[in-house]
Amino acid sequence: MSPSQSHTQHAITLQGVSMSFGSALALRPTDLTVHRGEFLTLLGPSGSGKSTLLNLIAGAIAPTAGRILLDDRDITFTPPRDRGIGMVFQNYALMPHMTVFENVAYPLRVRGCSADEIRRKVHEALERVGLKGFEERKPRQMSGGQQQRVGIARCIVYSPAIIMMDEPLGALDKNLREQMQDEIKRLHTDLGTTFIYVTHDQEEALNMSDRICLMSVGEIAQLGTPDELYFAPQSRFVAEFIGESNLIEGSISGPGRMAAAAGGEFVLRDTTRAKGAAVTLMIRPERLHLLAEGETAPAGANLIEGRVAGTSFIGGMTRIQAEAGNGLVLTTKAISEHVSRRARPGTPVRLCWNPEDGVLLDR
Ligand SMILES: Nc1ncnc2c1ncn2[C@@H]1O[C@H](COP(=O)(O)OP(=O)(O)OP(=O)(O)O)[C@@H](O)[C@H]1O
Ligand SMILES: [Mg+2]
């Protein structure tokens, strides 16, 4: 580790980095710090700028403005191969005529390593990804999951300071994706290297990341831990992109109170908003409780009445939708065995929530 690396906790720092392709702005001026050793995921809908951000860090493209630092060293215009950043691609990008061994050995040959070192490191990398014994296969003789393991082995074989993956599991089916998510997480723990990971799958991001950088049309919508994004979204976009959400619109009617546009007044956790301010209250479905017949709401809880509009059985949980009047539809989730008896469409229901579980968003 060089002296300059020893006093920074930041692997990558972006300062005012923006990217335009012709007249199209793919990334607005962005500041971002990636901590040393963390697993950071860039999450967002298609076209939000995830790959652009990754390619800027990798050096595949140069920014229109701003600076990129790697451990305090300005690498804005450093060629990709001199950055020490490894990349895993969605389409594997393996060389089809080469064996697995040669594919993984390639980055070491380019770096002029000795034959002994190459043999040792390739075997170590293949063992790490569970592909010992596959050395002589060609990529086309392997499954998608195995090919992506080769892609990962080729990335880790030369111990890059940062490992970046752009939708690496995008081409795999659900079960394999979940298995590979666990393997990649384990790899991150074992190597201790900084990972920057791109996905548009929110569950994958929630499962894998130390922090998530949620992107929306060329800018960061929110950067935080999976918990922060789920429980404390700062905007409607974040609330709707991560998980399921109930959104109740209205305006502040008094200190810590809100009048819903659909009718009813609710107690808020937040007491700082000015009277009359337009707001949206967000409640996660699992925080909205369906009261049983005769059951009273806990003291201080907000209560809303409605009728069951529909239910869907999703395995261990059942999702219940309730019409609460004036077009307001609320969704709640409950453990299946307790609700299957009482949630018939049209049944009157009462829903309640603790004001602490309501998140106030600016409209
Ligand atoms: N080489 C390019 N030339 C012109 N426009 C581009 C180029 N690369 C990206 N863009 C544009 O920049 C924006 C961001 O693209 P980017 O590839 O970063 O999105 P993304 O978040 O990775 O999307 P996806 O999930 O579909 O991969 C898009 O509007 C895209 O059309
Ligand atoms: Mg992309």
Side-chain angles (χ1 to χ4, degrees):
M1 193 181 275
S2 74
S4 70
Q5 283 176 313
S6 59
H7 61 74
T8 174
Q9 312 195 35
H10 306 325
I12 291 279
T13 308
L14 270 65
Q15 296 173 342
V17 171
S18 68
M19 185 71 208
S20 297
F21 295 102
S23 62
L25 188 59
L27 188 70
R28 291 171 185 281
T30 296
D31 295 326
L32 172 67
T33 296
V34 185
H35 301 145
R36 172 97 50 88
E38 82 170 321
F39 195 119
L40 180 84
T41 297
L42 306 178
L43 174 69
S46 185
S48 57
K50 306 180 295 292
S51 296
T52 300
L53 193 50
L54 211 65
N55 289 330
L56 285 163
I57 296 171
I61 50 177
T64 309
R67 296 204 310 156
I68 301 172
L69 309 180
L70 171 60
D71 296 327
D72 290 343
R73 185 166 55 94
D74 191 327
I75 56 156
T76 314
F77 299 104
T78 304
R81 67 176 175 282
D82 298 333
R83 296 189 181 200
I85 296 177
M87 189 86 164
V88 176
F89 302 94
Q90 176 173 351
N91 59 3
Y92 321 135
L94 302 177
M95 284 168 279
H97 57 285
M98 287 189 188
T99 62
V100 166
F101 183 94
E102 283 307 325
N103 265 287
V104 178
Y106 186 78
L108 300 174
R109 293 207 195 283
V110 175
R111 286 168 175 77
C113 296
S114 70
D116 270 359
E117 195 179 358
I118 289 175
R119 207 171 311 117
R120 184 172 55 77
K121 288 190 169 171
V122 170
H123 283 132
E124 201 181 290
L126 286 174
E127 186 146 26
R128 244 188 220 291
V129 299
L131 282 184
K132 203 176 155 197
F134 285 73
E135 288 79 357
E136 296 313 313
R137 294 256 192 122
K138 295 277 177 64
R140 70 182 141 73
Q141 298 168 316
M142 307 177 86
S143 71
Q146 289 168 336
Q147 289 185 50
Q148 193 52 293
R149 288 196 181 89
V150 179
I152 293 170
R154 182 186 55 186
C155 173
I156 64 174
V157 73
Y158 65 99
S159 307
I162 294 176
I163 291 176
M164 303 206 296
M165 304 191 177
D166 195 351
E167 306 250 9
L169 310 181
L172 307 177
D173 67 40
K174 191 173 182 297
N175 283 343
L176 189 55
R177 276 178 86 102
E178 284 171 5
Q179 186 191 331
M180 293 283 291
Q181 284 173 21
D182 289 344
E183 287 182 23
I184 292 173
K185 258 171 44 172
R186 196 168 333 112
L187 190 69
H188 172 252
T189 310
D190 290 353
L191 297 174
T193 306
T194 310
F195 274 44
I196 306 177
Y197 188 94
V198 169
T199 182
H200 60 260
D201 179 336
Q202 46 126 346
E203 279 182 24
E204 191 165 294
L206 290 171
N207 175 25
M208 299 183 78
S209 320
D210 292 320
R211 288 194 304 161
I212 296 173
C213 175
L214 180 56
M215 312 271 308
S216 167
V217 276
E219 61 187 347
I220 297 176
Q222 194 168 339
L223 173 66
T225 63
D227 263 47
E228 283 165 353
L229 267 68
Y230 189 79
F231 290 112
Q234 285 164 359
S235 65
R236 203 177 164 129
F237 172 79
V238 179
E240 291 191 295
F241 196 85
I242 307 264
E244 278 188 276
S245 52
N246 290 297
L247 300 169
I248 301 177
E249 299 194 349
S251 58
I252 300 294
S253 54
R257 299 188 76 83
M258 158 187 184
E265 196 178 45
F266 304 120
V267 177
L268 305 171
R269 179 177 65 189
D270 182 294
T271 56
T272 61
R273 308 279 172 127
K275 191 170 175 184
V279 289
T280 300
L281 182 66
M282 193 281 295
I283 309 142
R284 296 294 184 192
E286 66 279 10
R287 298 280 160 178
L288 201 56
H289 301 290
L290 197 62
L291 291 171
E293 227 180 284
E295 188 184 353
T296 48
N302 286 312
L303 188 68
I304 198 165
E305 293 183 0
R307 282 179 186 277
V308 173
T311 60
S312 43
F313 177 62
I314 46 171
M317 303 291 277
T318 296
R319 182 189 290 117
I320 301 128
Q321 292 202 301
E323 298 236 21
N326 297 316
L328 179 63
V329 177
L330 297 170
T331 303
T332 172
K333 272 189 213 165
I335 293 171
S336 291
E337 57 179 341
H338 297 314
V339 295
S340 55
R341 284 171 282 124
R342 65 175 178 241
R344 291 193 188 83
T347 314
V349 282
R350 292 172 306 139
L351 299 160
C352 72
W353 72 94
N354 182 336
E356 287 299 313
D357 292 330
V359 179
L360 211 51
L361 308 169
D362 291 317
R363 250 209 259 157

